Amino acid sequence: MNGDSDAKAVEVLRSGGLVILPTETVYGLAADAGNAQAVAAIFEAKGRPRFNPLIAHVSDAVQAETIAVFDDRARRLAEAFWPGPLTLVAPVRDREAVCDLARAGLDSVAVRAPGHARARAVIAAFGRPVVAPSANRSGRPSPTTFADAVEETGFAAAAALDGGDCAVGVESTVVSVLDGRLALLRPGAVTREEIETVAGPLDAGGEGHRSPGRLALHYAPDAPVRIEADQARPGEILLGFGPGVGDPAFSLSLTGDLREAAANLFRRLRQADRMKPSGIAVSPIPQAGLGEAINDRLRRAAGFVG
Ligand code: TXA
Ligand code: MG
């Protein structure tokens, strides 16, 4: 499977089409954030409920501040983690550049400057914000390889860019900076500790509940997922964590490394699912650092709320 060129992707964005866009976290399904018809096509392709707003991807903090209103803490966070896997939710400044449908009618907008070289090149050449939800169909595991992205929503894209396997493997951390409050809406690649070091304490409680898209069953393969498993039951595939746990081909990390486990998470879930097992069991993952994001995705894949 051959991918398209950056130039083709920019041309497709300009004409209101959809693009499979690699980022460092997961593959996205991208469109011109200001084109309501193109944005509608994203919701349609993903089967995504329209109350769930999209992230606007920008080149840098300067472009971000043309569409969103940043306070001091938002600026510090952007400076510390951009380009990279952090999304900031802030009051919207430009309601045309990121259309109502993309924001699900909210007065806030989610923005991020991705770190992947090809995403950066396309966004810079396009010159305007690009919305890009993860390229999976709604509720399914996010794609972290080109082949998985094309399999999920390639049918709806007029261009698809091959950016290799995603280095991070879990989605960006979503932090809201609204009304002087700082809240973690979705744990992700930038850890809670890293956020607090730069911006001070996050609000306690309520995490995940103010992001409209945090559906109970999410990131789920077809096979049922059983978390915190010691070993596989008959018919199950075990995604192990640490040395000597389960089939090494399905291990999240043989050395017990959380970065490696995050990078492998969705890929292994999808690989295991293709074998049509009776279930997918997953070893316990420590909750520290990146483990919070991994466990968040796993709990939702298993059908537990928050
Ligand atoms: O890593 C990522 O963030 C990937 C790559 C492609 O950039 N994108 C991604 O997009 O994960 P998506 O659409 O799958 O997740 C966006 C999340 C959803 O949970 C959505 O509800 C939340 O961000 N969100 C977007 N705008 C928001 C807003 N104004 N207020 C609260 N939550 C918002
Ligand atoms: Mg998603």
Side-chain angles (χ1 to χ4, degrees), residues 198-295:
V198 170
L202 285 154
D203 288 359
E207 282 105 355
H209 293 294
R210 288 188 301 154
S211 226
R214 316 278 8 243
L215 308 174
L217 188 63
H218 206 149
Y219 312 109
D222 291 332
V225 173
R226 188 166 65 84
I227 56 177
E228 319 245 330
D230 296 331
Q231 55 183 55
R233 292 175 185 159
E236 278 184 346
I237 291 175
L238 176 68
L239 309 191
F241 182 77
V245 187
D247 177 348
F250 287 102
S251 174
L252 293 175
S253 169
L254 287 167
T255 58
D257 180 76
L258 287 169
R259 264 181 205 290
E260 189 182 15
N264 281 329
L265 178 66
F266 288 126
R267 196 148 44 115
R268 293 279 185 269
L269 278 173
R270 302 176 70 98
Q271 277 169 358
D273 209 26
R274 270 187 211 110
M275 314 288 291
K276 307 223 176 290
S278 63
I280 301 172
V282 189
S283 289
I285 308 287
Q287 179 69 3
L290 255 180
E292 184 179 3
I294 297 173
N295 284 321

Side-chain angles (χ1 to χ4, degrees), residues 46 48 133-134 136 142 171 186 218-219:
K46 283 179 59 78
R48 179 176 176 117
S134 48
N136 53 288
S142 302
E171 300 85 347
R186 177 175 76 180
H218 206 149
Y219 312 109

Side-chain angles (χ1 to χ4, degrees), residues 17-18 23 44 97 100 115 117 154-155 163 178 192 197 216 229 246 255 267 284 293 304:
L18 308 188
T23 85
E44 178 73 17
D100 269 341
F155 65 90
L178 293 169
R192 170 189 294 277
T197 302
T255 58
R267 196 148 44 115
F304 299 121

Side-chain angles (χ1 to χ4, degrees), residues 10-68:
V10 173
E11 185 188 305
V12 167
L13 290 174
R14 291 222 166 93
S15 64
L18 308 188
V19 173
I20 298 277
L21 185 72
T23 85
E24 73 279 29
T25 57
V26 302
Y27 273 78
L29 182 63
D32 177 351
N35 182 331
Q37 268 186 356
V39 174
I42 289 184
F43 281 90
E44 178 73 17
K46 283 179 59 78
R48 179 176 176 117
R50 289 201 175 201
F51 59 76
N52 190 4
L54 307 179
I55 298 170
H57 295 67
V58 296
S59 293
D60 53 27
V62 173
Q63 191 182 19
E65 290 206 48
T66 66
I67 58 173

